[in-house]
Amino acid sequence: SDSFFTFHLAMSGPGRIPPTSPTLKTVYSQGHAHSRRALSHVPNLEYEPGPLPQLVVTESDRRGVLAGKLLGDVLCAAAVTLFVAPCMTVIDKAIVESASGTRTILSSSLSSLKSMSSKPLPYLRSPMFLMMWATYGLTYAAANSVRTLSEEYRLTAEQGQAALFSATTAVNSAATMLKDRAYAKMFGQSATRAVPMVTYGLWGMRDCMVIGSSFVMPKVVGDKLVEDFGMEEGVASKVAQFSCPVLTQAVAGPVQLLGLDFFNRPLAELTAGQAAMERLRFLKSQFFNIFSARVARIAPAYGIGGIGNTYCRDAWRGWMLSFEMTQMESTVNEERRMEEAKVLVDQVLKNHERFKRRDHQEPTPFNIPSE
């Protein structure tokens, strides 16, 4: 449901709207808990539940506000993923090289960190980094935009979660599979071997688990922590956002490794049973390494990245609200000046008529300002 709030300034001062200003009588804010969190970024502002305000909002205003929100969604996604993509690049490359047997995860990670620190600009321009940044930038941009559109068109919680999961999974799976295929050929055992369909299927299964645990489950788990354990909303949101993606790696990690194993080792010479046992032994021997690497990767990707993305969106919404309030203040001041001018004109006209009656003659002509 929509939330309506009555806002009051906690204090007035130079450059601030006075507490009695009609600008602050009522402000309409769409959204759910996200709108309340955004208010924390508006300085000197307190809020309390209020009645439905009677505001006239034109279609042009709505489109402008929606465009501003979507712009913030994309900018926040690009900024947050720019900072976490280097870490994910290092770990993804290490996982692929470890699965192919060319390097251990530790040696590969150290080599990438050395290259990144010695030649940062070439590293940031490399296809390896740009593909990673694009993958997660698009994923977060899709998630943010779907949330904004769900608020705008007032979808139910179930509809919003379904739209979020479907859109984010579609974008992430497509981008991740292209990136993983390129990584497998760049750092795997064969640059010319075709990626089998079973590998794509396993990677798609992994993506569904990761997206669900990163964008859908944190809201569900966070609400349960608040309702059942009395945890504060902000703390519950951070705990759920960090823990859900991390715990999912116990399953998603082996699934990704199995997909890479199908690419690196077709095992066509073995029977189906022998191949299955061989792959199980491989997963068992690599489980701790892959789980540790995936946790180290997913923590910045969706844990820290998710918290940063939420903070950035809230700050953007708070800035938009503050800007709108400044615009409203300017409008109110302009209307007040117009009213004062009208009163002054009325007084001049009344004085003019009084002079006419008193002197019984036409006064000297002079220009009277018109409305």
Side-chain angles (χ1 to χ4, degrees):
S1 62
D2 294 328
S3 299
F4 300 96
F5 303 98
T6 301
F7 299 94
H8 304 279
L9 281 183
M11 57 184 293
S12 61
R16 300 192 181 101
I17 308 173
T20 56
S21 170
T23 303
L24 296 178
K25 285 185 177 178
T26 50
V27 177
Y28 171 70
S29 176
Q30 276 192 342
H32 311 283
H34 181 84
S35 298
R36 296 193 295 273
R37 291 196 303 271
L39 300 179
S40 63
H41 297 272
V42 181
N44 308 305
L45 197 63
E46 295 176 348
Y47 67 89
E48 59 186 21
L52 175 66
Q54 300 298 318
L55 296 179
V56 178
V57 182
T58 66
E59 187 62 28
S60 176
D61 292 335
R62 291 178 63 88
R63 286 197 299 267
V65 171
L66 178 60
K69 289 180 179 179
L70 292 174
L71 174 62
D73 290 340
V74 175
L75 292 178
C76 287
V80 169
T81 53
L82 174 63
F83 287 99
V84 299
C87 178
M88 294 186 289
T89 303
V90 170
I91 297 173
D92 261 26
K93 178 185 176 184
I95 290 174
V96 175
E97 290 186 332
S98 175
S100 67
T102 56
R103 280 182 177 179
T104 65
I105 287 179
L106 180 60
S107 64
S108 176
S109 299
L110 292 176
S111 174
S112 296
L113 290 173
K114 181 180 178 181
S115 174
M116 188 188 306
S117 59
S118 61
K119 299 178 180 179
L121 291 181
Y123 190 90
L124 294 177
R125 290 197 298 263
S126 67
M128 174 178 62
F129 171 79
L130 293 177
M131 283 188 289
M132 184 68 72
W133 185 23
T135 296
Y136 287 93
L138 290 172
T139 299
Y140 273 104
N144 291 346
S145 301
V146 169
R147 286 186 176 125
T148 295
L149 293 173
S150 297
E151 295 172 2
E152 176 69 18
Y153 295 105
R154 305 182 186 183
L155 301 185
T156 65
E158 292 76 14
Q159 291 172 332
Q161 294 287 9
L164 177 64
F165 179 77
S166 300
T168 310
T169 300
V171 171
N172 180 263
S173 292
T176 300
M177 286 187 187
L178 291 174
K179 182 263 299 177
D180 284 347
R181 182 179 68 179
Y183 272 45
K185 292 188 175 184
M186 284 191 294
F187 310 120
Q189 289 186 352
S190 175
T192 58
R193 183 183 302 156
V195 178
M197 291 304 298
V198 65
T199 295
Y200 284 125
L202 289 167
W203 287 348
M205 187 186 306
R206 171 209 59 191
D207 293 338
C208 288
M209 288 187 285
V210 170
I211 293 301
S213 66
S214 302
F215 294 102
V216 178
M217 288 306 297
K219 178 66 170 62
V220 178
V221 174
D223 290 344
K224 294 294 291 182
L225 291 175
V226 173
E227 295 171 4
D228 296 347
F229 298 95
M231 192 175 290
E232 194 270 329
E233 182 181 345
V235 175
S237 176
K238 290 180 174 64
V239 169
Q241 185 67 64
F242 190 84
S243 60
C244 288
V246 169
L247 295 176
T248 305
Q249 300 315 304
V251 180
V255 170
Q256 180 189 11
L257 186 61
L258 188 59
L260 286 170
D261 194 40
F262 271 100
F263 171 75
N264 290 321
R265 301 191 304 163
L267 301 182
E269 71 281 2
L270 301 180
T271 65
Q274 291 173 332
M277 292 303 298
E278 175 60 25
R279 296 194 193 284
L280 286 175
R281 282 193 291 270
F282 176 72
L283 289 180
K284 182 179 178 181
S285 65
Q286 295 291 324
F287 175 81
F288 179 77
N289 290 335
I290 190 67
F291 176 71
S292 302
R294 288 285 302 182
V295 167
R297 177 191 186 281
I298 213 68
Y302 291 114
I304 299 172
I307 294 171
N309 179 65
T310 300
Y311 178 86
C312 185
R313 287 187 78 220
D314 290 344
W316 181 270
R317 298 293 179 88
W319 175 83
M320 285 187 63
L321 180 58
S322 181
F323 178 77
E324 286 296 318
M325 291 174 64
T326 302
Q327 295 297 104
M328 291 170 67
E329 179 191 15
S330 300
T331 301
V332 169
N333 290 339
E334 182 64 26
E335 291 176 351
R336 187 177 298 155
R337 286 193 293 269
M338 291 296 294
E339 289 296 330
E340 291 173 353
K342 291 177 182 179
V343 171
L344 179 61
V345 169
D346 289 340
Q347 290 176 347
V348 171
L349 291 174
K350 289 178 181 178
N351 289 333
H352 177 59
E353 293 297 326
R354 189 164 56 250
F355 291 150
K356 285 174 62 178
R357 290 193 300 268
R358 186 189 67 183
D359 299 335
H360 301 287
Q361 62 182 6
E362 290 294 328
T364 304
F366 61 94
N367 294 328
I368 300 176
S370 64
E371 293 184 1

